[in-house]
């Protein structure tokens, strides 16, 4: 299979080809400027075109609201224009595919949810969901991770709170493994939609200003 996987939901911008060619920008806020040139560069070096791909994988969330929209919009446009199937990837599930978690019967994945919160989800040894992703208080997530009996997988931002947890290597292999393992879950470009888990801070602020209930 020939595919491209992109991630703009986390703290970094990532793009990786099935050949192993990898792009990484440590500043996730650069997604709007970095993503498409990165894709073009990877394909050019591999002497490939978008139409040569069998599918395009895109991390749909949760994570940065702006980053998610950028990645999903780009993936939808490419899949529509090139007639490619799209593979939606849940951000926390991709973290579970870290090879250092291989052999673990239980895998807990944690990432930053901003504003004192964290996203957390548990998977079994086959990376199947055991408990769905939740947005919880950061301190609660950290305490649960420290007490967890199994592998704890995080990204580089959550690793600041959990320095003993498993962090992806800087080679895109975790994202690549997730896309390769889940390729049978491809959908049409219309079905590639963002996964936010919680409403944005701006929506919560507006709800409070208008006297509506808290949407968090």
């Amino acid at each position: 299979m020939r595919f491209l996987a992109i991630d703009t939901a986390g703290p970094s911008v990532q793009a990786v080809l099935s050949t192993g060619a990898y792009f990484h920008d440590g500043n996730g806020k650069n997604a709007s400027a970095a993503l498409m040139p990165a894709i073009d560069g990877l394909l050019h070096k591999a002497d490939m075109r978008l139409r040569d791909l069998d599918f395009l994988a895109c991390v749909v969330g949760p994570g940065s609201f702006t980053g998610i929209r950028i990645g999903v919009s780009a993936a939808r446009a490419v899949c529509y224009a090139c007639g490619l199937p799209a593979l939606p990837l849940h951000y926390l599930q991709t973290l579970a595919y870290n090879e250092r978690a291989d052999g673990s019967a239980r895998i807990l994945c944690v990432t930053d949810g901003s504003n004192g919160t964290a996203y957390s989800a548990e998977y079994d040894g086959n990376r199947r969901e055991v408990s769905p992703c939740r947005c919880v208080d950061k301190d609660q997530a950290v305490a649960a991770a420290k007490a967890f009996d199994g592998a704890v997988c995080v990204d580089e931002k959550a690793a600041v709170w959990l320095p003993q947890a498993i962090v992806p290597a800087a080679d895109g292999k975790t994202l690549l493994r997730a896309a390769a393992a889940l390729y049978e879950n491809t959908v049409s470009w219309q079905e590639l939609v963002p996964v936010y888990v919680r409403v944005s801070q701006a929506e919560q602020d507006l709800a409070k200003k208008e006297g509506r209930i808290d949407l968090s």
Side-chain angles (χ1 to χ4, degrees):
M1 294 182 298
R2 293 172 296 184
F3 63 85
L4 170 72
I6 62 174
D7 171 21
T8 56
S12 302
V13 181
Q14 299 185 84
V16 60
L17 275 175
S18 50
T19 60
Y22 178 59
F23 169 85
H24 174 269
D25 187 322
N27 185 352
K29 295 181 179 180
N30 291 337
S32 60
L35 181 60
M36 295 310 294
I39 292 173
D40 184 64
L42 290 176
L43 291 169
H44 179 74
K45 290 179 181 178
D47 194 25
M48 294 170 62
R49 301 172 302 168
L50 286 169
R51 294 184 185 276
D52 295 328
L53 301 175
D54 294 307
F55 67 90
L56 192 157
C58 175
V59 174
V60 295
S64 162
F65 282 71
T66 300
I68 291 169
R69 287 191 286 268
I70 291 170
V72 170
S73 296
R76 282 169 61 95
V78 168
C79 289
Y80 170 73
C82 300
L84 297 176
L87 175 63
L89 296 174
H90 193 285
Y91 183 59
L92 272 72
Q93 190 176 22
T94 65
L95 295 177
Y97 276 90
N98 192 311
E99 63 182 348
R100 292 172 58 198
D102 288 357
S104 298
R106 302 176 66 205
I107 304 171
L108 180 69
C109 297
V110 181
T111 186
D112 180 48
S114 74
N115 298 306
T117 66
Y119 296 113
S120 176
E122 184 180 340
Y123 302 88
D124 66 17
N126 293 314
R127 277 73 177 189
R128 292 176 299 206
E129 184 180 86
V130 173
S131 62
C133 180
R134 297 185 305 142
C135 184
V136 299
D137 179 82
K138 185 187 80 171
D139 292 339
Q140 178 184 345
V142 170
K146 289 181 177 179
F148 187 72
D149 181 19
V152 177
C153 294
V154 299
D155 57 22
E156 56 266 42
K157 192 164 186 179
V160 175
W161 326 325
L162 296 164
Q164 304 305 315
I166 299 171
V167 182
D171 57 7
K173 191 173 181 179
T174 298
L175 179 60
L176 192 66
R177 294 181 79 205
L182 299 168
Y183 76 94
E184 293 182 347
N185 298 325
T186 56
V187 298
S188 68
W189 67 268
Q190 296 101 320
E191 297 173 275
L192 189 74
V193 295
V195 172
Y196 295 124
V197 178
R198 68 172 180 83
V199 297
S200 69
Q201 187 64 43
E203 290 173 296
Q204 292 188 50
D205 291 344
L206 180 61
K208 291 176 181 179
K209 182 178 180 180
E210 295 179 347
R212 293 185 280 120
I213 62 172
D214 188 353
L215 298 175
S216 61

